[in-house]
Amino acid sequence: MADISPIDMQKALKGANYPASRDDLVALAKQNGAENDLIEKLSSSGAEQFDGPNDVQKAVFDED
């Protein structure tokens, strides 16, 4: 799996309004042309809703 950078995540979620559901962020990432690795990590995160970009970052980068 390719490394996902925080910059890639920011680009993928450009225009997100928080709080946001996981499904809404996955759809936005796809619309913004995000890499499949990032979409998969976001899709498989345990959180149903994110209060802000920091929550997304924790879910994507802090998973084992």
Side-chain angles (χ1 to χ4, degrees), residues 4-5 9-11 13-14 16 19 24 27 31 50 60 63:
I4 300 167
S5 76
M9 189 184 73
Q10 288 175 351
K11 288 178 183 177
L13 300 179
K14 183 177 180 181
D24 287 344
Q31 179 182 338
F50 299 95
V60 170
E63 287 188 279

Side-chain angles (χ1 to χ4, degrees), residues 20-23 25-26 38-51 55-64:
S21 72
R22 178 182 58 215
D23 291 342
L25 293 180
V26 168
L38 190 147
I39 292 169
E40 181 61 34
K41 283 287 260 186
L42 191 55
S43 296
S44 64
S45 72
E48 292 289 324
Q49 182 163 317
F50 299 95
D51 291 329
D55 285 349
V56 179
Q57 195 162 358
K58 286 178 188 174
V60 170
F61 294 107
D62 291 349
E63 287 188 279
D64 293 328

